[in-house]
Amino acid sequence: MLYIIGLGLGDEQDITLKGLEAVKKCSKVYMEAYTSLLSFGLSTHGLSNLEKLYGKPITLADREMVEEKADQILSEAHDAHVAFLVVGDPFGATTHTDLVVRAKKMGIDVQIVHNASVMNAIGICGLQLYRYGETVSIPFFTDTWRPDSFYEKIQRNRMMGLHTLCLLDIRVKEPTLESLARGRKIYEPPRYMTINTAIEQLLEIEQAHKESAYSEDTECVGFARLGSEDQMIVAGTMKQLQLIDFGAPLHCLVITGKTHPLEEEMLDFYRCRTHRHPRINHEKGLGNHISLQYLMIGTITRDQQIRELRCGRKVRGKSHALVIPWRNNSEINALALTK
């Protein structure tokens, strides 16, 4: 029996009871480690947290193993219970569909355990899920490869008034072109696309096409570490979001279409606010001649407040809103502000 089990988006505790029961009766446990990552998976303690909860060792399955050596996993599932753990939901990536097809053709029983995915967790911002069009992926540009197939899809979605979820590139254990040419694989350092880079590339493609599919004034919603305790959600124009540091991965971006009044009400809780702070002239070292604007960038958790404080930044305690100054020269700096 092959169990393909969704782990959700946050940490080891997001697995369902059904999924946990399935893992505990499996003799071999693999964890997919390339299409996405749990927030704790970026730390050295991530895998050990899973192993402690499950009470058994876990084998990381990178892209090579799943796409080139899947027969090993499937042959084991022929005679025993094998778990294949997937961040988010099992069918959030085509590779997992391929694994199911191959297993069924080999006569192996397959059981799926679903979980939360970015595809439905984005509903937290208030944009209604049935008002989304086709999802697109934004890959990292290189000097010689700047694909733009996503542009037409975004344009088509917006013409129909639909929102667009942009999934941002994750490059984990990717071989360099030079090493492939030499026949000996050397891997690039892991890279995770930020919202800032995605917007920069989106605007570059718009500048090339000049068809007004979107612009720097187009409303978007940026998500960082969705499903985690320190998730960050900010609504604003592309120009505004490009100036915000969303912190650690993973990031994704939604380009809004035509919004319903109820969607607008929800977005207001996350929207960038521009205002002047009455106490700015009293801040040490700034003087009375500097005029600053501020972005209210959504809600943050207590843990994130503590991290900001450790970095020398104070945040508003009651509202749990992180305040970042926005200088007229577009340079974002940390500034200690309290009520």
Side-chain angles (χ1 to χ4, degrees), residues 289-303:
H289 64 285
I290 296 180
S291 175
L292 296 178
Q293 293 177 308
Y294 293 85
L295 297 175
M296 301 296 295
I297 59 173
T299 58
I300 62 174
T301 66
R302 199 68 184 170
D303 288 342

Side-chain angles (χ1 to χ4, degrees), residues 31-306:
M31 180 173 176
E32 171 257 22
Y34 60 91
T35 60
S36 188
L37 293 168
L38 291 172
S39 58
F40 69 87
L42 299 173
S43 71
T44 55
H45 304 295
L47 197 58
S48 64
N49 289 343
L50 282 172
E51 291 177 331
K52 287 177 184 177
L53 178 63
Y54 302 157
K56 55 187 62 185
I58 297 173
T59 301
L60 284 178
D62 58 24
R63 184 183 297 274
E64 281 185 14
M65 176 176 284
V66 178
E67 296 185 352
E68 299 175 15
K69 302 177 182 178
D71 288 345
Q72 174 184 333
I73 299 173
L74 296 176
S75 63
E76 291 171 344
H78 229 302
D79 305 311
H81 292 302
V82 174
F84 186 72
L85 310 180
V86 178
V87 176
D89 186 82
F91 292 116
T94 55
T95 301
H96 309 136
T97 304
D98 178 66
L99 194 63
V100 172
V101 170
R102 294 175 66 176
K104 287 183 177 293
K105 286 183 177 179
M106 294 173 63
I108 299 170
D109 291 330
V110 179
Q111 184 168 332
I112 307 298
V113 182
H114 294 283
N115 209 318
S117 163
V118 64
M119 306 296 285
N120 63 336
I122 53 173
I124 190 174
C125 73
L127 295 176
Q128 298 165 12
L129 295 179
Y130 63 84
R131 294 172 63 87
Y132 278 80
E134 185 175 356
T135 297
V136 302
S137 296
I138 310 295
F140 277 113
F141 285 176
T142 69
D143 292 338
T144 58
W145 189 64
R146 307 178 94 74
D148 60 0
S149 59
F150 55 79
Y151 182 83
E152 183 180 340
K153 297 173 184 177
I154 296 171
Q155 184 180 47
R156 187 163 58 246
N157 286 346
R158 286 178 56 78
M159 287 177 64
M160 294 187 289
L162 302 176
H163 315 308
T164 306
L165 170 60
C166 302
L167 300 176
L168 309 188
D169 203 0
I170 302 169
R171 297 187 65 82
V172 178
K173 203 175 180 181
E174 295 284 347
T176 63
L177 294 176
E178 294 82 0
S179 69
L180 288 175
R182 295 173 183 171
R184 182 183 175 186
K185 291 183 180 179
I186 299 175
Y187 300 101
E188 300 175 356
R191 288 197 298 159
Y192 312 97
M193 183 179 288
T194 64
I195 290 166
N196 317 78
T197 297
I199 291 174
E200 180 182 338
Q201 294 187 179
L202 284 163
L203 293 176
E204 176 185 321
I205 296 302
E206 172 57 50
Q207 185 65 27
H209 283 261
K210 298 184 184 299
E211 296 180 17
S212 300
Y214 50 81
S215 72
E216 64 178 13
D217 296 319
T218 297
E219 291 286 330
C220 298
V221 186
F223 301 82
R225 301 168 301 283
L226 188 60
S228 303
E229 288 188 2
D230 66 342
Q231 69 180 14
M232 186 172 176
I233 304 166
V234 189
T237 65
M238 285 191 178
K239 183 177 181 180
Q240 288 174 317
L241 298 190
Q242 200 169 14
L243 297 173
I244 293 173
D245 180 1
F246 282 85
L250 297 169
H251 296 183
C252 64
L253 180 72
V254 169
I255 302 173
T256 63
K258 184 178 180 180
T259 52
H260 184 275
L262 186 58
E263 291 179 307
E264 286 290 336
E265 283 191 68
M266 275 292 288
L267 285 177
D268 278 343
F269 291 110
Y270 303 105
R271 204 179 299 280
C272 293
R273 305 293 184 193
T274 306
H275 67 281
R276 299 184 185 278
H277 196 282
R279 295 185 58 188
I280 190 62
N281 292 336
H282 302 293
E283 294 299 330
K284 182 178 178 180
L286 292 180
N288 295 330
H289 64 285
I290 296 180
S291 175
L292 296 178
Q293 293 177 308
Y294 293 85
L295 297 175
M296 301 296 295
I297 59 173
T299 58
I300 62 174
T301 66
R302 199 68 184 170
D303 288 342
Q304 191 172 348
Q305 285 191 28
I306 292 170

Side-chain angles (χ1 to χ4, degrees), residues 301-330:
T301 66
R302 199 68 184 170
D303 288 342
Q304 191 172 348
Q305 285 191 28
I306 292 170
R307 280 195 291 275
E308 295 294 327
L309 288 168
R310 285 175 179 167
C311 295
R313 300 188 286 266
K314 293 182 182 178
V315 296
R316 297 184 177 214
K318 290 183 179 179
S319 64
H320 289 194
L322 174 62
V323 181
I324 295 180
W326 184 12
R327 289 188 184 276
N328 289 335
N329 64 1
S330 298

